[in-house]
Amino acid sequence: MMIKAVFIDIDGTLISTKTHRPAPGTEQALLSAKKNGILLFPATGRHLKVPEEGYVLDLLPDCFDGYVGLTGHYCCTREGTVVLKSPLHPEDVRAIKELSGRYKIPYTYTYEDRLFINMVNDRVLAHNKSIGLPIPSIREMDCAQEVYSITLYVDEKTEHDILRPALCHSTTISWINGITDVCGKEGGKKAGIRAMMRHFHLTPEEAMAIGDSDNDLSMMEEAGIAVSMGNGSEKVKRAADYIAAACEEDGILDAFTHFHLI
């Protein structure tokens, strides 16, 4: 199987959630793979078009061919060509806003070019500090606008018993304890990398996906080779064809070396 493209999660994969930096060998691995003709794409829940979250690209070499952002709901090429725009269904956006207001649940939400949060509590402060994210501006969500992603700061019971059953066109996917993304039922990172593969004329067998969290599972299922970081969740490790070293221990370099991309 010849790998021509690699889709790589950011937090916990390209960037450590402990040090907030890439591992020492990550830059070497990315640039060497790029030199060898491998197409490279970050695949993330982050909104890479806004400074509050896109700054993370400044920590990595300028080597990416496109960007799978907002958990697959907004994807574009390096040159800015939009490959996929898939806003959340307005009915589900309204349901999330109503229930979050009733149960005092914080959430970030994104329009095409802006990122906001509805409220801030201790869970928000702790989580954003843990992965080096600034707190977005506080503003009520306008359900009349296209919303491309919602990330909820919510406990598992509330997510499963209250929020998820209220969604008709979407579902929730936890990627770390207490942090949950809302994704279209046919969306997620899988839809994002599928659109990117179509654009670049790639088959699934020519793609590798690398991740660590449960919101990476859909893209790992779509790719011909799935790699879990050593710090990956148990579900991600079970789904992987190969378990690399942990993010901080040069897991990207390990994976690229193991599959002879460099």
Side-chain angles (χ1 to χ4, degrees), residues 5-10 13-15 21-43 56-67 78 208 210 229 250-257 261-262:
V6 186
F7 296 87
I8 319 170
D9 174 55
I10 290 184
T13 303
L14 279 171
I15 302 291
R21 305 287 303 180
T26 298
E27 180 171 348
Q28 171 197 338
L30 293 171
L31 292 176
S32 296
K34 180 71 174 176
K35 185 177 180 181
N36 289 340
I38 305 297
L39 299 172
L40 300 171
F41 306 91
V56 72
L57 293 177
D58 295 334
L59 305 175
L60 297 161
D62 183 17
C63 62
F64 297 111
D65 297 276
Y67 309 94
R78 177 187 182 88
M208 175 188 293
I210 309 177
M229 301 299 278
D250 270 326
I252 296 298
L253 181 61
D254 175 17
F256 280 26
T257 302
L261 303 184
I262 58 177

Side-chain angles (χ1 to χ4, degrees), residues 32 35 57 64 77 86 91 113 130 137-138 141 151 157 173 177 191 194 196:
S32 296
K35 185 177 180 181
L57 293 177
F64 297 111
T77 67
S86 180
E91 289 180 6
D113 59 352
S130 75
S137 300
I138 299 173
M141 183 166 60
T151 298
K157 180 174 174 56
I173 303 174
N177 186 35
R194 187 181 291 164
M196 200 65 78

Side-chain angles (χ1 to χ4, degrees), residues 177-191:
N177 186 35
I179 310 297
T180 294
D181 292 327
V182 179
C183 294
K185 288 184 178 178
E186 301 303 319
K189 292 185 180 182
K190 173 175 67 175

Side-chain angles (χ1 to χ4, degrees), residues 47 49-50 70 74 82 85 110-114 146 148:
H47 196 340
K49 289 186 64 177
V50 300
L70 298 178
Y74 192 97
V82 176
K85 287 172 61 174
T110 58
Y111 305 133
E112 185 171 352
D113 59 352
R114 289 171 294 163
E146 289 186 335
Y148 285 85

Side-chain angles (χ1 to χ4, degrees), residues 30-182:
L30 293 171
L31 292 176
S32 296
K34 180 71 174 176
K35 185 177 180 181
N36 289 340
I38 305 297
L39 299 172
L40 300 171
F41 306 91
T44 179
R46 286 176 179 258
H47 196 340
L48 296 174
K49 289 186 64 177
V50 300
E52 296 96 324
E53 296 190 344
Y55 72 88
V56 72
L57 293 177
D58 295 334
L59 305 175
L60 297 161
D62 183 17
C63 62
F64 297 111
D65 297 276
Y67 309 94
V68 177
L70 298 178
T71 320
H73 288 87
Y74 192 97
C75 308
C76 62
T77 67
R78 177 187 182 88
E79 295 76 23
T81 300
V82 176
V83 174
L84 178 66
K85 287 172 61 174
S86 180
L88 297 171
H89 197 284
E91 289 180 6
D92 290 347
V93 171
R94 289 192 292 270
I96 288 290
K97 181 175 182 178
E98 193 277 324
L99 289 169
S100 296
R102 187 189 309 174
Y103 292 96
K104 308 299 182 189
I105 301 169
Y107 59 89
T108 59
Y109 61 95
T110 58
Y111 305 133
E112 185 171 352
D113 59 352
R114 289 171 294 163
L115 165 72
F116 298 105
I117 193 168
N118 67 322
M119 61 177 285
V120 175
N121 64 9
D122 289 344
R123 189 191 295 267
V124 174
L125 295 171
H127 170 72
N128 283 42
K129 182 179 179 181
S130 75
I131 61 171
L133 280 179
I135 303 296
S137 300
I138 299 173
R139 185 177 298 184
E140 280 296 312
M141 183 166 60
D142 179 1
C143 298
Q145 294 199 51
E146 289 186 335
V147 175
Y148 285 85
S149 76
I150 295 174
T151 298
L152 298 141
Y153 298 74
V154 64
D155 62 272
E156 186 176 5
K157 180 174 174 56
T158 302
E159 174 198 346
H160 287 272
D161 294 353
I162 295 173
L163 294 174
R164 189 179 293 175
L167 303 177
C168 297
H169 311 277
S170 312
T171 188
T172 57
I173 303 174
S174 296
W175 60 274
I176 194 171
N177 186 35
I179 310 297
T180 294
D181 292 327
V182 179

